[in-house]
Amino acid sequence: MKIIELILDEEQEDAGVEAISIVESPAIESDFIALKDQEIKLAEVDKEKKILMGALLIPNKPIYRNGAEGEYYIYFSKDTVQKASQLYLKNGYQHNSTLEHNETLKGLTLVESWIVEDEVQDKSRKYGLNVPVGTWMGAVKVNNDEIWQEYVKTNKVKGFSIEGYFADKMEAPNDKIKDEYSEDKNNQEVLNKIINILKNEK
């Protein structure tokens, strides 16, 4: 099966990430977490800081695709992930967001953006997100009560998915990509066996 690296063609005006979508099934298979820090106002009212934190792009993560050309995998290098994160902010797209890549949303803003640089000393670890070094992390403020109540609190959306334009770079997968793909496949096989055992016990 083909593995295609997606890259940023910086000569194209529309290259890069244009929006962040909140979705039920993130392609990068990394759920965000809803941060529910309590803000005490005048010692009388507790308000939720409606913030979602999660991975926006994970480097060297094979992402399954099935399109007109058949089945294949795509991935982004660390360099592309970093460039995409910088270009997104440079273009001022912090307020661009959608629901399941279909409906444009208002009231959602990317308020934090960073690249994971250390496996231990990173903010993502504090919240139990064990993403690899080079991951683009984001925190999105949700000033939209309908979305928060109907989609976030009910777990209808579980992660972020980016929207944007990248160029295809056809090349043979390097050993690291192959290893990660094999590891993911093995993990999925083990998980499937566990699920089957649990179903049989019931």
Side-chain angles (χ1 to χ4, degrees):
M1 195 180 298
K2 290 188 299 186
I3 295 185
I4 302 170
E5 180 183 355
L6 296 189
I7 60 173
L8 269 176
D9 184 352
E10 297 180 67
E11 294 181 4
Q12 291 185 347
E13 291 184 8
D14 59 355
V17 179
E18 289 192 335
I20 295 169
S21 189
I22 53 173
V23 297
E24 181 181 1
S25 301
I28 58 172
E29 299 170 357
S30 178
D31 293 357
F32 55 51
I33 55 172
L35 300 183
K36 300 177 181 178
D37 297 335
Q38 297 298 309
E39 176 187 354
I40 300 175
K41 186 177 181 181
L42 302 176
E44 294 177 357
V45 181
D46 290 344
K47 290 186 177 180
E48 281 186 332
K49 291 180 179 178
K50 296 171 180 155
I51 296 176
L52 301 176
M53 177 188 290
L56 297 171
L57 264 184
I58 297 176
N60 301 322
K61 172 75 175 176
I63 303 169
Y64 175 76
R65 287 288 180 265
N66 190 352
E69 298 178 2
E71 296 179 295
Y72 60 99
Y73 284 87
I74 60 170
Y75 75 96
F76 302 87
S77 69
K78 283 185 179 181
D79 184 54
T80 297
V81 170
Q82 186 171 48
K83 284 180 180 177
S85 70
Q86 293 171 353
L87 194 58
Y88 188 74
L89 298 176
K90 181 182 174 184
N91 288 335
Y93 291 153
Q94 294 91 320
H95 299 286
N96 293 2
S97 58
T98 65
L99 176 63
E100 296 289 356
H101 297 293
N102 292 319
E103 179 185 346
T104 301
L105 297 178
K106 291 184 179 180
L108 275 69
T109 306
L110 182 72
V111 292
E112 288 187 66
S113 173
W114 74 95
I115 300 293
V116 176
E117 296 181 349
D118 189 279
E119 291 185 356
V120 179
Q121 303 295 327
D122 188 80
K123 184 176 182 177
S124 58
R125 300 308 192 256
K126 178 181 177 182
Y127 297 99
L129 297 172
N130 296 315
V131 293
V133 169
T135 296
W136 176 17
M137 293 293 300
V140 172
K141 176 79 173 175
V142 183
N143 283 326
N144 184 318
D145 288 337
E146 180 184 354
I147 292 298
W148 188 263
Q149 296 296 333
E150 293 187 20
Y151 291 91
V152 178
K153 295 194 89 173
T154 59
N155 289 320
K156 286 182 182 176
V157 291
K158 297 178 180 177
F160 295 128
S161 181
I162 62 162
E163 296 181 13
Y165 297 94
F166 294 84
D168 292 357
K169 180 181 178 183
M170 297 294 295
E171 66 175 22
N174 60 34
D175 291 338
K176 185 171 184 183
I177 300 296
K178 285 181 179 176
D179 290 344
E180 289 189 8
Y181 168 63
S182 298
E183 184 180 336
D184 285 350
K185 193 172 180 181
N186 290 336
N187 289 342
Q188 189 60 50
E189 288 174 358
V190 172
L191 181 60
N192 289 339
K193 287 179 182 177
I194 293 171
I195 290 170
N196 288 334
I197 291 171
L198 291 174
K199 283 181 178 177
N200 290 334
E201 286 182 355
K202 288 181 180 180

